[in-house]
Structures are given as structure tokens and as C-alpha cells.
Amino acid sequence: MRLLFSKIVHIIFLLLLVFFAEAQTKAPAYPLITHDPYFSIWSFSDELTSTTTRHWTGANHSLQGLIKVDNTFYRFLGQEEKHYEPVVPAADESTYTAQYIFSDPGKEWYRNDFNDAGWRNGAGPFTSGKNKNGTAWESKDKEIWVRRYFDLEKTDWSNLILRIRYDDDAEVYLNGEPVINDKGVTRNYRYEKLKDAIVAKLRKGKNLLAMHIVNTGGAAFLDAGLCTEIIPPVFDNVVSAQQQSVEVSATQNTYVFSCGPVKTKLVFTSPLLINDLSLVSRPVSYITYSVQSADEKPHDVEVYLGASTDIAANSNRQEMIAEKMVFGKLEILKAGTTEQPVLQKKGDDLRIDWGYLYLGSKQAGMRTAITNAKDGIGWFVKNQKDGSEKTTGKSLVLNCAVKLGKVGTLTKEQVFLVGYDDQYSIQYFNTNLKPWWKLNGATIETEMEKASAEYPELMRKCAAFDQSLKEELVKAGGKEYAELCILAYRQSIAAHKLVKSPDGEILFLSKENFSNGSINTVDVTYPSAPLFLAYNPELMKGMLNGIFYYSESGKWTKPFAAHDLGTYPMANGQTYGEDMPVEESGNMIILTAAICKAEKNIAYAKKHWQSLTQWVNFLVKDGFDPANQLCTDDFAGHLARNTNLSLKAIMGIGCYSWMAAQMGKDAEAKRYRDTAENMVKRWMAMADEGDHYALTFDKNNTWSQKYNLVWDKVLGLGLFPRSVYEKETDYYLGKQKIYGLPLDSRRTYTKSDWIVWTATLTNDKNKFEALIKPVYQYANETPTRVPLSDWHETTNGKQVGFQARSVVGGYFMKLLAKKWQQ
């Protein structure tokens, strides 16, 4: 009987493998741990062992997982990251000085015997940004030439690497030999292995690194040094597990592996249940190992998880401190920078370097150790001792190992908790705000303990939510549409931080990831809105409250809405260099009306009526035929007489009229409704190009996606006849490329969030699916392996810019329309 039962269990497991293979998900990148713009870890490859796990910016945030089955070790999580030893340190490793000049020094400036006596002397890095130890490179100086001398005691390097970061174009020589001649910026340090012929030119004593950088616009930067790669030990008994499948749901990623005679399921869960603010805020994820014999025989099994302390650092050059601790039934490893510069940095391509990373489990008998990066795997493989209770150093690893004993046909499970305590999250008009989860005196230890206790219940809740969401999405827009939205779900939520203002208002503040790093950008909030309107309008309020406060406090005095609140995580006032008057005013009015519709309550509009009135009057005066200005698609440049921006003004005025009517302000409602209806008539006449409507009122045989029109349908404003929707949709179907509908007639790139809005205009299922299919194809086939980019090229599927942004919440527009039409 027991043998029959075990065979049945084995058959069920094999059937599950078939199911998972059919459910295989393909994504540009896979979210593993996603909570906020800083605590965000992804796999940038389909095979979980093919690459080192990374922060959404691309910096290594390494997680490594192994399983020991009998005497063989199988790697199934993360590729071992590369580490380097400085030979000639760059400025982020040690101070140095170099000769530099901003005017053309003439030919042969890179030669060792060139006379640089007239050059200035300065410390690296050379930068237009703030750096207390570096040399200022002002934007007016478009080029810089740098000669850095250094001494070597040896020259027989077998693996010498140039480590350099530059912005924008670089020309680099070592002892007169060319190393790099490239255009473009490096976001992080580039590692360029030197050819043997170049290394042969090195000499004992004095050597020269000569560099010429051209700043083509924006920020300027140069820093460089030499290093060698640290080669980690190789273990003959460590092999790669065979990945059978991966499935992505709204809150989880599930991987299935074959590890010799054992089958392993690895589940990453970030329980971002959108209608539960405590869970949206709680910075704790689960990594669950489930193990079962595949050959019906018992096997000795031990599992390992390692986490790099770089997860708590902006740069792997920062010194870390790590320690062991026990809290209740939890064994915990904790790590953070020794410096702890709380809220000292702001910008786009940054990681958090304050607060502490936590890795733990309640498993009795768990072995733990803190090692350097190259020794983490060796600690597990060699079964070494646990080591010291507290350690300092760079790029340390937190190591955990648990023996599961004999594993047969019954599944055994091990759950690890990964958490982050950022202590203070946001500076809001010069007040440092704690994260939402800390409001009632909670600590990260109590939150991890609570997360551990709630694990079984939360797994059931996550599974139920994921299934329910998928069913709703399929019903709204079909299977491919559903898969797009599921890919977007965690990314959109985790591009925000949840805090409470000093006045007690909810703030759900976005970071404009790889766009310009702005915080609470209104034209990022606008495309993100459908997800939050559909499932939690309270979070939607948190996305608007800061902008309303900015105006109503008198800190923002212009007659239109602000663009942003600053540069993440510093929300002290707008830092974007140019206003978007029609764009942001229209966005704020439309989204306020949408909140009122979602809540079936006009109270939120009443609270901010004075601001809304000021903004709508600006739209009445300046919105219909917009002057030359930026809109949310600012990457496309300034545009005058923009018909889609005009639509936003009309939608804003229509929304204001609707809200006035809900308040019983009938005369006011009629006046603005009449204004909007008159604008509609003029718009239809002035933008008409026969079979479609133009990009600008100048026409000239142009076209554009009229995504702003979707609110007329979704909010039921009834300003435009349906014939306008269908006329545009039919025209778009003839303009599609292989990977989507271009944004407009100027270029072939697109914004995928706007495609979904545009597709929602039609009630024809086939037309909707025809517009969505190329976007789905882009998500599955793009060669750019980064967290989902909303700005891509329709001809080849490559990312143009932006990644990991919240705006993919806009994919939920079709679902929102379906919900509100029911």
C-alpha cells in the first residue's frame, strides 16, 4: 500500500512538471524580491543560474542557492559574481591625483614623453556632480584630457583589467597604446581586459594612463584604475541543476529543477497584496525550497542560501559590517555599511547604502557564517565551521545552510526570510519619514517574526489572489493581455515607497527609474494609475497627496500643477528643469475624478477643490491648442499644437464638470461641460485628416496615438462620439510594426503602456487583441534583458530607454474599463 501511494505521489509530481513546462513564462527579467526602488532583486536571464542576480539598475545584488544531494552539490540560484583586486585603485577605492586640461592639448597628448607641465593637477573623479573628494568638471567644458601617472613594482600580469567609468565618449591609452575608443556613457564601471600586447608595454616604476572624454550633454564623469579578477576556487563536485520550468504569477516566481535524483521547487514570494497596506509596506520576502525524491529512494539533502552584503550598499567598494543575532525563534544574519549615510544621496542610478539587510529562518539547527565573497560557496561545500559572530569587510556574504535529512517521496520544505530595514525612507520637505510599516512601533525583527508566523496563511492568500487576478485579466483582455499585466504587477508596486506625511496623509511615492530619478512625478503617476484605481484607490491618493500639499501649502506658486516633488528619495520640491503645465494639470484633475469614481464618493475632490479649480481654469485658457511645450512623452521633444495633449485638457475640463455635478454645483458643471463640448467640436474639425486625426493641428499628414482619449470611455464622460474611437483604432491597425504600434509618425519607437490605453478605445475584441499581440511578442522576444522597459523600438524589440518603472501599471487600463463598465 505504501509503495502504491509513493508511486501515485511520484506520478503527480511528474504531471506537475508537465504542467509547469506548459505554464513556462518568458520575461525580459524576472522579479525575485521586489518591495521598493531600493529593495529590488531580479534575475536578468531565463535560466536562474545563467547570471548573477541584480538590482533593477543592473548592479550585482547576488543571491546564491545550492542543494547537496548525497555527496553532490547542485547550483540552482545565481551565477557566482566576479570580484576584482585593485592594482591601481580608482577614486571609489582610494584617492589619487592626475594632470588634466579642458582645452585641446594638441597631437600626441597621450604619449609618455608629452610635455604636460602646463596642465592642472586634480583629484579623481572628474565630475559635474557633487563629490567632496573629486575635481569639478563644469558643463561648459565639453571635453577633458587627463594624464594619470602610476608606479608598478611588477609587470608580469596575466589578467590585467582597465576599470573605468565615463560620461560620455571615451578615448583611453595605456603607455601610448590604445585601449578604448567608444561613444556613449557607462552607467557603472566598465571592465576592459587588456590585450597581452598592451600589458607588455608596462614597466617597473612610472606608467601612464591617458584619457580623453567628450561630454555630449548632461552630466560629465571620469574615473579609472587597473585591477585583476579574483578567481574563485573550483569544486569538482558542484554542478548546475537542470531548470525544468519557470512560472511568474502576480506575487510569486516558481522555478522547478532536476537536481540529480531529487526534484527541487524554488519559490520567491513578495506578498504585495495590493489591498493590504501592511503587506505592501512590509519589506520581507520568502524564498522557499521544496524537495522531493525523483527516483523513490531516500537521499541525504542539505540546502544553502547565500546573500551578498552588496544588497545593502550603493557600491561594492563600501565597507560593510555583518553580524549574527537571534530574535525569538529566528536565527538572523544582518549586514549594512559601516558609514550609514542615511538619506545622504539622491539620484537615478543609485542603490541604498543605509539601513540593514536581514536573512533568517526559524529552522532549528541552521548553520550560519559570514564570509568574504569568494569563500561563501566553499564554506558550504567544505562543511566549514560557522565562524565569528561579527565581521567587517567589503562584499561579504551571509551564508545559511539547513540539513533536511533523508528526503523521499514526501516533500520537505525550507523557508528563508529576506528583509530590509531602511530606518528612514524619504525626506519630505526637510522632514525624514520612516517607512509605513514602522508607524506603530514595529521593528524589522518583529516584522520578520510576524512574517514567519503568517507564512502558511500568506501562501494561501497569495495563491488565491494570483489566481483571481489572472482570471479577471483573461476575462478582460485575453490570455496574452493577462500575462503582460502579471509581468507588470510587482514591478509597478515596487517602484514606489509607502510612507505617511507629517500631517498624517498617506504618501505612495514613485521613483522615475532610469528616466531621471525624480520622485512623485505626476506624468509617471498618470500612466501608472489603472492598477491602483482598480484595486486600491487609497494608494492612488497617496500618489496625488504630495502634489496637492505642494500647491496648497504655498510652496508651489504657479497656476498649474508641479511636475514632481524632487529627486528620489528627497521630496523637497520640484527639481525637473522644465514645467509641463497642460500635462500635469490635466493629469491631476483626471486622476482626482477617477478616485472619486472608484470610491463612489466625491469627498476627495471637495478637499482639493480650490486647487482643481485653479488648474482647470488654466486648461480652459491655455489647454486646447497648446503652445510649444513638453508632455509626458518628453523624450520625443517639445511639440506645439499637440492634439493628444489637447485631448488631455478636454478630458480634464470634462472631469471637472463631472465632479462639480456630483457636488451639486449644477451651474458650474454646465459651464465647464459646455466648454468641453465646444472644444470637442473644434478638435474634431481641426485635427481631421480624413481617415484619422493628426499629431498636431498643423496636420501635414501626421498621426499619433490618442491615448488620452481613453478616459472619455473609461469614466463615461461621453464627450466624443464612438466613431472617433473606431476611426483612430482602424487607422492604427495599418501602422503597426512587428513589436507594436509606434508612438506617432515621427519615429518608430513606442510606449507599451500607451498602446494598451489606445487599444482599450475599441470594443472589438479582435482589434484589441491585434494591438496587444505585438506588445506581448516584445515582452517575450526583446533582446534587452532588463526589468520590463516601457519604451522600446517597434522594429527590433530593443529597449530605447527606461526600465523597472511603475508606468507598466498602465497595462491594467483594459481591466479598469471592464470593471467600471460592469
Side-chain angles (χ1 to χ4, degrees):
M1 193 71 184
R2 288 183 64 186
L3 180 61
L4 176 64
F5 176 75
S6 67
K7 287 184 176 180
I8 291 171
V9 169
H10 183 60
I11 291 169
I12 291 172
F13 189 85
L14 292 176
L15 288 173
L16 283 173
L17 283 182
V18 172
F19 167 77
F20 281 125
E22 291 177 350
Q24 179 86 7
T25 304
K26 185 79 184 292
Y30 298 82
L32 304 179
I33 293 174
T34 47
H35 290 279
D36 60 45
Y38 287 139
F39 192 28
S40 180
I41 305 174
W42 298 69
S43 171
F44 282 41
S45 57
D46 299 321
E47 298 285 332
L48 193 54
T49 57
S50 293
T51 55
T52 303
T53 59
R54 303 175 188 173
H55 185 257
W56 67 259
T57 58
N60 287 342
H61 275 186
S62 178
L63 297 171
Q64 295 191 79
L66 278 79
I67 180 171
K68 180 184 179 185
V69 181
D70 300 325
N71 291 313
T72 302
F73 296 83
Y74 297 87
R75 177 193 291 275
F76 55 81
L77 167 57
Q79 186 181 78
E80 197 160 6
E81 64 180 316
K82 293 180 178 180
H83 290 276
Y84 302 89
E85 184 74 27
V87 175
V88 180
D92 64 340
E93 299 164 318
S94 180
T95 57
Y96 69 83
T97 59
Q99 278 61 51
Y100 70 98
I101 193 170
F102 293 119
S103 57
D104 190 344
K107 296 179 180 180
E108 300 187 341
W109 60 273
Y110 55 87
R111 289 174 58 90
N112 290 40
D113 58 1
F114 181 81
N115 184 3
D116 57 16
W119 292 32
R120 286 184 267 182
N121 192 56
F126 300 86
T127 175
S128 57
K130 291 182 179 179
N131 190 303
K132 61 184 179 181
N133 297 319
T135 297
W137 176 7
E138 303 298 338
S139 58
K140 63 182 177 62
D141 297 308
K142 296 299 183 184
E143 299 180 64
I144 190 171
W145 288 259
V146 175
R147 289 166 61 87
R148 181 184 177 186
Y149 294 99
F150 60 92
D151 289 327
L152 291 177
E153 293 183 0
K154 59 176 280 189
T155 61
D156 55 336
W157 301 96
S158 60
N159 189 22
L160 195 61
I161 295 166
L162 170 67
R163 179 174 181 265
I164 185 169
R165 180 181 166 196
Y166 51 84
D167 188 352
D168 293 285
D169 301 343
E171 183 183 5
V172 181
Y173 298 83
L174 180 56
N175 285 344
E177 295 296 317
V179 180
I180 288 175
N181 191 344
D182 277 350
K183 294 187 180 299
V185 59
T186 60
R187 286 194 178 274
N188 296 304
Y189 284 87
R190 169 180 174 178
Y191 292 82
E192 184 73 19
K193 188 177 185 304
L194 298 180
K195 296 177 182 177
D196 292 342
I198 296 174
V199 175
K201 296 285 185 178
L202 293 172
R203 61 196 69 171
K204 289 185 179 180
K206 194 174 186 179
N207 293 267
L208 174 68
L209 192 60
M211 296 161 283
H212 171 215
I213 309 297
V214 179
N215 178 26
T216 58
F221 191 90
L222 172 62
D223 183 32
L226 299 177
C227 63
T228 57
E229 184 180 347
I230 300 171
I231 306 301
V234 176
F235 300 100
D236 293 336
N237 56 344
V238 177
V239 297
S240 291
Q242 183 179 355
Q243 184 173 308
Q244 303 289 337
S245 65
V246 55
E247 182 184 12
V248 179
S249 63
T251 63
Q252 296 181 320
N253 283 17
T254 301
Y255 293 86
V256 177
F257 297 92
S258 174
C259 302
V262 164
K263 298 295 182 182
T264 302
K265 184 167 73 170
L266 184 65
V267 181
F268 295 87
T269 306
S270 294
L272 301 180
L273 300 179
I274 195 169
N275 56 357
D276 187 331
L277 296 184
S278 64
L279 286 175
V280 168
S281 174
R282 181 194 289 169
V284 181
S285 278
Y286 305 96
I287 302 178
T288 306
Y289 295 41
S290 299
V291 185
Q292 183 186 41
S293 173
D295 61 4
E296 301 183 17
K297 298 176 183 178
H299 298 278
D300 288 314
V301 173
E302 185 176 11
V303 294
Y304 163 85
L305 177 64
S308 171
T309 60
D310 290 345
I311 296 168
N314 178 50
S315 164
N316 59 15
R317 296 306 192 264
Q318 291 179 280
E319 186 180 67
M320 312 299 293
I321 183 167
E323 61 183 302
K324 301 179 183 182
M325 58 185 295
V326 175
F327 186 86
K329 295 180 180 180
L330 292 177
E331 291 188 53
I332 293 172
L333 293 168
K334 169 186 175 182
T337 60
T338 55
E339 183 186 5
Q340 288 297 303
V342 179
L343 292 170
Q344 295 295 304
K345 296 181 179 71
K346 62 180 181 179
D348 197 352
D349 190 6
L350 290 175
R351 277 81 30 208
I352 195 167
D353 59 1
W354 70 91
Y356 294 91
L357 168 69
Y358 286 73
L359 174 61
S361 176
K362 69 175 182 180
Q363 180 70 36
M366 179 171 71
R367 295 196 300 121
T368 61
I370 303 162
T371 66
N372 61 39
K374 70 180 180 66
D375 292 334
I377 299 298
W379 169 83
F380 177 57
V381 172
K382 295 178 180 178
N383 195 29
Q384 293 175 333
K385 294 181 180 180
D386 289 1
S388 61
E389 297 294 308
K390 183 179 288 190
T391 305
T392 59
K394 297 176 182 178
S395 291
L396 304 173
V397 178
L398 308 180
N399 303 280
C400 299
V402 177
K403 290 184 177 180
L404 299 184
K406 293 288 185 182
V407 174
T409 54
L410 296 179
T411 300
K412 286 193 176 182
E413 185 177 84
Q414 172 60 35
V415 181
F416 293 102
L417 304 172
V418 186
Y420 203 95
D421 180 7
D422 59 358
Q423 301 180 333
Y424 288 92
S425 306
I426 301 290
Q427 187 172 103
Y428 183 72
F429 295 101
N430 301 309
T431 298
N432 291 349
L433 303 181
K434 293 181 178 181
W436 182 276
W437 60 269
K438 280 195 169 188
L439 294 178
N440 296 319
T443 65
I444 189 63
E445 292 86 359
T446 59
E447 287 297 289
M448 290 186 71
E449 186 176 53
K450 191 175 180 182
S452 179
E454 292 177 351
Y455 172 77
E457 179 188 0
L458 274 180
M459 291 305 100
R460 288 191 292 271
K461 284 184 175 180
C462 285
F465 174 81
D466 291 355
Q467 183 62 31
S468 173
L469 178 66
K470 184 175 182 179
E471 289 172 0
E472 278 194 284
L473 289 166
V474 170
K475 191 178 295 184
K479 182 176 179 292
E480 291 179 347
Y481 171 70
E483 290 188 16
L484 275 174
C485 290
I486 288 166
L487 285 180
Y489 179 82
R490 268 175 283 168
Q491 174 173 314
S492 186
I493 295 172
H496 298 82
K497 188 68 182 183
L498 185 61
V499 294
K500 183 176 281 190
S501 77
D503 295 332
E505 288 195 316
I506 184 173
L507 297 172
F508 192 51
L509 304 177
S510 64
K511 180 175 181 181
E512 202 171 333
N513 292 341
F514 271 11
S515 181
N516 71 347
S518 291
I519 186 170
N520 203 197
T521 303
V522 177
D523 59 285
V524 167
T525 293
Y526 177 69
S528 307
L531 168 60
F532 304 99
L533 288 167
Y535 289 105
N536 194 339
E538 198 64 24
L539 289 173
M540 190 72 248
K541 290 180 187 176
M543 297 157 78
L544 302 190
N545 284 340
I547 299 294
F548 276 124
Y549 170 78
Y550 194 18
S551 283
E552 292 163 2
S553 65
K555 299 177 190 298
W556 176 261
T557 58
K558 296 180 182 181
F560 44 79
H563 171 271
D564 62 77
L565 290 185
T567 301
Y568 197 92
M570 315 297 277
N572 295 322
Q574 180 172 313
T575 52
Y576 191 70
E578 187 171 345
D579 299 323
M580 297 185 188
V582 174
E583 174 73 37
E584 313 303 17
S585 298
N587 291 343
M588 290 296 292
I589 297 169
I590 292 167
L591 294 178
T592 300
I595 287 170
C596 294
K597 183 173 180 68
E599 294 190 324
K600 299 178 181 177
N601 189 317
I602 203 66
Y604 192 68
K606 282 183 177 178
K607 181 178 180 180
H608 301 293
W609 197 244
Q610 184 175 346
S611 294
L612 295 169
T613 301
Q614 178 176 313
W615 295 337
V616 79
N617 287 334
F618 177 83
L619 294 181
V620 169
K621 178 175 177 289
D622 293 316
F624 175 72
D625 194 351
N628 191 38
Q629 61 188 276
L630 294 174
C631 68
T632 185
D633 304 315
D634 54 354
F635 52 84
H638 294 73
L639 189 65
R641 314 199 73 196
N642 183 341
T643 59
N644 190 46
L645 189 57
S646 177
L647 283 174
K648 181 162 289 182
I650 296 170
M651 293 299 107
I653 296 166
C655 285
Y656 183 89
S657 168
W658 177 82
M659 290 185 286
Q662 300 303 303
M663 293 182 199
K665 298 177 181 286
D666 295 339
E668 198 171 353
K670 183 178 186 307
R671 183 166 75 253
Y672 286 96
R673 178 75 185 190
D674 289 346
T675 298
E677 288 179 350
N678 288 333
M679 286 183 174
V680 168
K681 294 173 185 175
R682 292 168 60 202
W683 189 95
M684 290 177 63
M686 292 171 61
D688 191 14
E689 288 248 54
D691 59 352
H692 71 283
Y693 295 96
L695 168 67
T696 69
F697 287 127
D698 299 317
K699 298 184 181 179
N700 297 325
N701 194 31
T702 58
W703 64 273
S704 64
Q705 292 189 44
K706 306 302 187 299
Y707 53 81
N708 287 320
L709 186 58
V710 75
W711 293 107
D712 190 48
K713 176 181 179 179
V714 174
L715 292 172
L717 298 177
L719 288 167
F720 282 82
R722 281 217 53 83
S723 59
V724 173
Y725 305 173
E726 297 304 333
K727 179 175 173 177
E728 280 291 282
T729 303
D730 290 345
Y731 186 79
Y732 299 147
L733 290 170
K735 293 295 179 181
Q736 291 206 101
K737 307 293 184 186
I738 184 173
Y739 293 113
L741 176 67
L743 182 66
D744 56 48
S745 53
R746 291 175 290 177
R747 299 282 291 274
T748 55
Y749 58 53
T750 195
K751 290 282 272 84
S752 54
D753 48 340
W754 296 147
I755 292 178
V756 179
W757 288 35
T758 297
T760 303
L761 287 172
T762 184
N763 286 332
D764 187 310
K765 178 176 179 289
N766 292 330
K767 291 179 183 178
F768 175 81
E769 290 181 351
L771 288 165
I772 292 300
K773 190 173 187 64
V775 182
Y776 175 78
Q777 194 169 340
Y778 151 70
N780 277 263
E781 297 178 6
T782 175
T784 313
R785 306 310 301 272
V786 297
L788 195 57
S789 169
D790 53 287
W791 182 19
H792 73 269
E793 179 53 62
T794 61
T795 58
N796 56 27
K798 291 182 180 179
Q799 173 194 34
V800 179
F802 309 156
Q803 66 195 51
R805 299 206 310 165
S806 67
V807 303
V808 293
Y811 291 2
F812 285 77
M813 181 58 90
K814 178 66 173 177
L815 176 89
L816 181 66
K818 184 83 171 177
K819 276 178 170 282
W820 285 358
Q821 286 168 5
Q822 290 173 348

